[in-house]
Amino acid sequence: MVGLLGSVALIVIATVVIWKGSGYFEQAAERLSKYYGLPVAVHGAIVVAVGSSFPEISSVVISTVVHDEFSLGVGAIVGSAIFNLLVIPALAALSSEELRSTRDIVHKDAQFYVISVLILFMVFALGATYVPGGTNQAAILTPTLAVVPLVTYGIYVFLHQQDASDHVADETHSVRPSREWGILGVGLVIITVGVEGMVQGALSLGVIFDTPPFLWGLTVIAAGTSLPDAFVSVRAAKNDDSVTSLTNVLGSNTFNLLVAIPVGVLLAGRATIDFLVAIPTMGFLGFATLVFIVFTRTDLELTDREAYTLLGLYVMFVCWMTLESVGLIETVRGI
């Protein structure tokens, strides 16, 4: 009982630490974007998304390097992507009068995110068919394969850079960039400390309940590390900035899939992806992506009814993974 309470307390404290660090980061990022004259879409899809995804990439790095648990980090990435698509837009819609979408969001950011999912599936397929040791049940990811999604993310950044180059910014002289960069760095350090505490707490829960680390990465760490994205998107929605709210979600997921997982592979040297687990969970991610795109495209607005549907889908996903992990159902044999 002490171990359980201690693990839960550690996760709660770590969540507060991540929230605090994210606050520092968000304020500094917003001021720097204004200083450098970035358009709103670029601010949301690149600057805010990369920074708010720092907990996810930290979870991969810490899980792989410190705890030798690559599967925990991958579970956190996939779970975070699902959380971002289903929970964050729903909370943003419910906390604001209306959450408006745009054709640019649906036709550019959302479509490139779909491409990132397909690229990851392609890398898994190459790891299963062209890397020695790969089978029809597992893919071996190598540093060479990890370059493919990283290059794809470079193209994503390039496309947004083209938008930024055509943007005419309002001049601002009230921001001291060196100070803001310092605050941003402090925020990232605080987030890293919080993620380490959360990873330790999740591993302890896995031992206590005799469940695979993947489950806790998919649920606890995923939700905890997605808090920065949630805070950014909800606050933006309340400030009637739907563009930042939605592009942050899509940009964060694109970064997680195309950068965070490859970084984990590079750090580990090579990694094994179990298809028995990856295909069902990635399949649900693909399904959640389609639902998100349909809802945001319909009348270019996310309604309260659609928001509750997204939340219901996430609850269903968590229940499904939990029942699988404790052995009550066996539709996902790898777990």
Side-chain angles (χ1 to χ4, degrees):
M1 189 66 177
V2 175
L4 175 60
L5 292 177
S7 299
V8 172
L10 180 59
I11 290 173
V12 171
I13 293 172
T15 301
V16 174
V17 171
I18 292 174
W19 171 77
K20 191 66 176 179
S22 300
Y24 285 128
F25 171 85
E26 180 192 347
Q27 294 174 7
E30 183 176 355
R31 291 167 184 160
L32 286 170
S33 290
K34 290 181 179 178
Y35 178 80
Y36 292 112
L38 298 180
V40 174
V42 176
H43 170 70
I46 300 295
V47 180
V48 173
V50 171
S52 59
S53 293
F54 191 76
E56 284 93 333
I57 196 170
S58 296
S59 69
V60 173
V61 173
I62 292 172
S63 298
T64 303
V65 176
V66 180
H67 301 282
D68 195 26
E69 286 283 358
F70 179 73
S71 63
L72 183 70
V74 172
I77 294 300
V78 176
S80 176
I82 295 172
F83 185 94
N84 288 352
L85 283 173
L86 298 180
V87 177
I88 294 178
L91 295 179
L94 294 174
S95 63
S96 61
E97 293 186 3
E98 63 176 7
L99 188 66
R100 302 292 301 176
S101 179
T102 66
R103 286 181 172 81
D104 274 350
I105 292 175
V106 176
H107 295 157
K108 184 176 67 177
D109 293 285
Q111 287 185 4
F112 202 96
Y113 167 62
V114 172
I115 291 174
S116 71
V117 175
L118 296 176
I119 288 292
L120 201 60
F121 269 116
M122 183 191 74
V123 169
F124 288 174
L126 290 173
T129 54
Y130 287 95
V131 177
T135 67
N136 62 348
Q137 291 188 353
I140 308 298
L141 303 187
T142 64
T144 302
L145 287 178
V147 171
V148 176
L150 290 174
V151 170
T152 305
Y153 189 75
I155 296 172
Y156 177 71
V157 173
F158 170 76
L159 294 177
H160 275 290
Q161 186 276 328
Q162 295 300 298
D163 292 340
S165 64
D166 297 331
H167 176 68
V168 179
D170 297 329
E171 292 188 5
T172 177
H173 303 286
S174 60
V175 175
R176 288 165 28 190
S178 58
R179 178 179 179 274
E180 300 305 329
W181 279 111
I183 294 175
L184 188 144
V186 170
L188 295 181
V189 171
I190 294 174
I191 290 172
T192 303
V193 173
V195 170
E196 165 61 12
M198 185 164 290
V199 169
Q200 289 187 9
L203 289 173
S204 298
L205 289 177
V207 173
I208 293 170
F209 291 102
D210 192 24
T211 50
F214 181 80
L215 170 66
W216 302 101
L218 202 64
T219 54
V220 174
I221 296 181
T225 55
S226 292
L227 281 177
D229 297 298
F231 292 139
V232 168
S233 291
V234 169
R235 188 174 289 115
K238 287 183 176 180
N239 293 332
D240 198 26
D241 186 3
S242 299
V243 173
T244 295
S245 183
L246 291 175
T247 54
N248 169 54
V249 169
L250 295 169
S252 178
N253 274 12
T254 301
F255 179 85
N256 288 342
L257 297 181
L258 297 182
V259 177
I261 291 179
V263 165
V265 174
L266 293 175
L267 292 173
R270 61 192 284 134
T272 301
I273 298 295
D274 184 356
F275 283 162
L276 294 176
V277 178
I279 296 304
T281 51
M282 290 293 290
F284 189 90
L285 175 61
F287 169 70
T289 299
L290 291 177
V291 172
F292 172 84
I293 292 175
V294 170
F295 281 3
T296 52
R297 180 60 185 88
T298 305
D299 296 328
L300 293 177
E301 180 184 359
L302 190 64
T303 65
D304 287 354
R305 185 175 182 178
E306 291 168 337
Y308 285 120
T309 301
L310 293 179
L311 291 175
L313 286 175
Y314 185 74
V315 171
M316 182 182 72
F317 170 74
V318 172
C319 291
W320 174 37
M321 288 293 103
T322 302
L323 293 175
E324 291 284 355
S325 297
V326 299
L328 292 180
I329 59 175
E330 294 184 0
T331 57
V332 184
R333 289 179 294 157
I335 295 180

